[in-house]
Amino acid sequence: MSSLIPALVSLLFLSFGIYVLVSRGTNRVSIAFFLLCLATFSWQFCWSVLFQVQSPALAAEVARIGYGLILFLPTSLYLLVVELTRRQQEMVWVKLSACIALALALSDQVVDGVYHYSFGFYPRAGLLHPVHLVQTVTIIVRSAWLLYHQQACAASVEQLRLRYCLASIATYGLAAIDYACNYGLAIYPPGVMFIVLSLGMMAQAIARHQLMANPLQLAATVVHEMRTPLATIRGQARVLAKGLPELIAGYELATANGQRQAQLQPAHLAYLRELASDIEAEVSRTDFIADSVLASARDGSFSRDGFGMVSMSACIDEALKHYPFGQQERARLHRGEMDDFRFVGSARLMVLVLYNLIKNALQAGGEVCIVSQRHGSVNLLSVTDSGHGIPEHILPHVFDPYFTTRAAGTGMGLPFCRRAMLAFGGSIEADSAPNSGTVFTLRFPAC
C-alpha cells in the first residue's frame, strides 16, 4: 500500500508530460516541461520500488541508482522556469546546476545506505547530500523570484498564466519536506501530495489558459493566409487608380453640359479621387503589420543564406517611403547625419528593424532623429527620440522576448531587432533615462 501512491503519481506525471509534448508540439517550453515530468516520474517510481524491496543490500542499490536521477530534478525545474519566463541569460546558471548534479551523481557520496521505516526503506543522507539540499532550495527560491518578477511586468493574459505557474512551482517546492526523511525523521514522505497539487495547477494553466500556446505563431498563420487577398485588393486599387479619374472627368463633363443632373457633392468627388490611394495606403499599413507579426513570431536566429552587401541609406529610404505614418507623425521624424555604409545582411530584415525602431520612437513621443555614421572598424546607426524615456528598472529587459509595458504590445519587436543584428554580425543597445528620451544604437562591422 505504501508504494501505491508514488507509483500512481509517477505514472500520472509521465502521462501528462507525454500528453503536453504531443498536444502542444515539441518546442522549448514543452520539452522543458516533459523533462520535469520525467524527473518527477523517476523520483516517485524509485520510491514505489524502494518501498517494496525487502533486502537492505538491494534497497541501498535501488536508492543509489534512483537518487542519481533525482539529483537532476532541481535543474529540470529551473530549466522550465527559464523557458516560461524567457530569460535565456539564465541558461548559464542552468548549465552550472546540471554540472553540479552530474558531479554529485558521479561522486556516489550523496546517499549513504538506507533507513528502514515502517513504510519501507528510504535513502540515508550522505556526506554531500547537504550540497544537493542547498542547490534545491536555491533553485526553488530563484525560480519563484523569476516568475514573480516576470508576471509583475507581463500583460494581463500572460500575467494570469505566470501566476498559475508561480503557485504551482511554490507548491512543488513544498515537497522538499521529504528531505527530512533522509535525515532520520520516520514519517511517510508527505511531498507526494504537494507535487500532485502542483501538477493540478500546472494542468489548469496549460489546458484552460493556454500556457504553452504561442499566440504570435497562431497570428502568423492567420497573417500568412491574409497575404493573397491583400495582394488582390492592392491590384484592384491600382485598377481603380487608372479608371476613376476618367470616370470622374466624364461625370463632371456630363453635368457641366447639362446631360445629367449633378447628384454628387464636391466633397464626394474629392473623396473618390483619393479613394484608390487611400486603399493602397491601408494595404501597405496592413502589410507592415503582417511583416512585423511574421518576423516577430519567428524563434531562434536568422539564417545567413542569401545575405549580401546592403546599402544602409537604401534601407533607410525604403523604410521611410513605406512606413505607415499616422497623422503628423512624418513631420516629427528627421534625418540627421547620413553617411552611407554597406554591411553584410538582408535589406528586408533591416527595413523591418527600422520599422520597429521608428514605431517605438514615435510612440514614445517627441521628435525622432535617424543618424548613420562611419567610424573606422565599426559603423553606427542610431534612432533617437525626445520622448518620455524608459525607467531604469525596465531598461535591462527591453530586449527580453515577450516583455512589454504596453497593454496591446507583444514584446517581440525589440527581440526581433536583436536577433537580426546578431545575424548581421552586429549588436544593438538602448540608452535612456526618464523624461530624457531614448537612443537605440546599432553597430555594424565595417566591410
Side-chain angles (χ1 to χ4, degrees):
M1 181 61 185
S2 59
S3 63
L4 182 60
I5 294 176
L8 290 175
V9 171
S10 67
L11 292 176
L12 182 64
F13 265 83
L14 183 62
S15 300
F16 192 68
I18 294 173
Y19 163 76
V20 167
L21 204 59
V22 172
S23 64
R24 296 299 187 268
T26 53
N27 54 63
R28 296 174 68 99
V29 179
S30 64
I31 292 173
F33 181 75
F34 175 74
L35 291 175
L36 176 63
C37 288
L38 188 62
T40 308
F41 163 80
S42 302
W43 170 22
Q44 293 299 305
F45 186 76
C46 173
W47 281 192
S48 67
V49 173
L50 192 59
F51 294 165
Q52 289 293 312
V53 172
Q54 301 298 320
S55 166
L58 180 58
E61 187 64 19
V62 171
R64 184 185 65 81
I65 295 174
Y67 231 92
L69 299 172
I70 294 169
L71 290 171
F72 291 92
L73 180 58
T75 304
S76 65
L77 175 65
Y78 192 16
L79 175 62
L80 175 61
V81 171
V82 167
E83 295 299 341
L84 286 172
T85 57
R86 305 173 185 93
R87 296 288 293 269
Q88 296 305 311
Q89 61 268 36
E90 294 278 324
M91 284 302 298
V92 62
W93 301 110
V94 174
K95 293 175 182 178
L96 177 61
S97 177
C99 290
I100 292 173
L102 181 61
L104 290 174
L106 294 176
S107 72
D108 204 23
Q109 294 294 313
V110 178
V111 174
D112 182 20
V114 291
Y115 289 110
H116 187 257
Y117 297 135
S118 59
F119 52 83
F121 290 103
Y122 202 86
R124 183 200 305 270
L127 181 65
L128 295 180
H129 191 276
V131 177
H132 171 60
L133 182 58
V134 170
Q135 178 192 17
T136 301
V137 173
T138 302
I139 284 177
I140 291 173
V141 171
R142 178 64 177 172
S143 298
W145 185 89
L146 288 175
L147 285 167
Y148 175 79
H149 183 270
Q150 187 72 12
Q151 64 85 29
C153 303
S156 56
V157 175
E158 183 74 4
Q159 193 174 58
L160 180 60
R161 296 168 182 163
L162 292 173
R163 284 177 178 173
Y164 266 104
C165 294
L166 177 59
S168 175
I169 297 302
T171 305
Y172 193 102
L174 294 176
I177 194 174
D178 282 3
Y179 287 127
C181 299
N182 296 120
Y183 290 88
L185 186 61
I187 59 171
Y188 185 85
V192 64
M193 304 309 299
F194 292 115
I195 66 171
V196 169
L197 287 174
S198 72
L199 181 64
M201 294 176 189
M202 189 64 74
Q204 177 84 344
I206 292 171
R208 183 174 178 180
H209 299 287
Q210 299 298 311
L211 173 65
M212 296 185 187
N214 184 346
L216 275 178
Q217 290 180 348
L218 176 60
T221 302
V222 176
V223 164
H224 185 71
E225 296 301 321
M226 288 170 52
R227 282 301 174 78
T228 299
L230 281 175
T232 302
I233 294 171
R234 174 176 273 117
Q236 292 169 340
R238 289 172 179 172
V239 171
L240 281 175
K242 292 180 179 179
L244 268 179
E246 290 296 325
L247 292 174
I248 293 172
Y251 171 82
E252 290 177 328
L253 182 62
T255 55
N257 293 332
Q259 295 176 336
R260 64 167 296 136
Q261 184 179 358
Q263 295 181 336
L264 295 177
Q265 299 296 324
H268 294 156
L269 292 175
Y271 174 79
L272 287 174
R273 286 189 179 92
E274 300 297 326
L275 181 61
S277 60
D278 288 346
I279 291 174
E280 185 148 8
E282 287 303 317
V283 170
S284 296
R285 184 185 299 273
T286 307
D287 260 342
F288 161 71
I289 297 172
D291 283 339
S292 297
V293 170
L294 288 170
S296 298
R298 185 173 180 172
D299 291 326
S301 59
F302 292 101
S303 170
R304 295 174 61 87
D305 295 343
F307 277 15
M309 298 299 295
V310 178
S311 163
M312 179 54 71
S313 289
C315 291
I316 295 173
D317 291 340
E318 180 75 8
L320 296 183
K321 178 181 178 181
H322 295 290
Y323 183 86
F325 290 101
Q327 189 175 12
Q328 304 300 320
E329 284 186 339
R330 184 63 183 87
R332 291 167 45 205
L333 192 147
H334 313 283
R335 299 178 69 157
E337 181 180 350
M338 282 290 161
D339 295 336
D340 188 23
F341 60 82
R342 298 171 72 81
F343 64 96
V344 177
S346 160
R348 179 180 175 275
L349 276 183
M350 188 63 232
V351 169
L352 286 174
V353 168
L354 286 166
Y355 278 171
N356 277 285
L357 296 177
I358 292 170
K359 178 187 69 174
N360 286 349
L362 291 171
Q363 288 178 347
E367 301 296 305
V368 179
C369 183
I370 300 177
V371 172
S372 61
Q373 298 173 305
R374 289 192 296 268
H375 276 279
S377 62
V378 63
N379 296 316
L380 303 178
L381 173 74
S382 65
V383 178
T384 306
D385 68 71
S386 59
H388 47 67
I390 302 173
E392 184 178 356
H393 70 282
I394 290 178
L395 187 60
H397 304 292
V398 295
F399 295 108
D400 292 349
Y402 300 97
F403 180 88
T404 181
T405 58
R406 298 191 180 105
T410 64
M412 288 303 295
L414 290 177
F416 160 77
C417 294
R418 182 173 63 177
R419 295 203 311 275
M421 287 303 299
L422 289 174
F424 298 157
S427 64
I428 180 172
E429 60 186 36
D431 187 24
S432 182
N435 303 316
S436 298
T438 302
V439 55
F440 284 92
T441 304
L442 287 67
R443 303 177 188 277
F444 300 79
C447 296

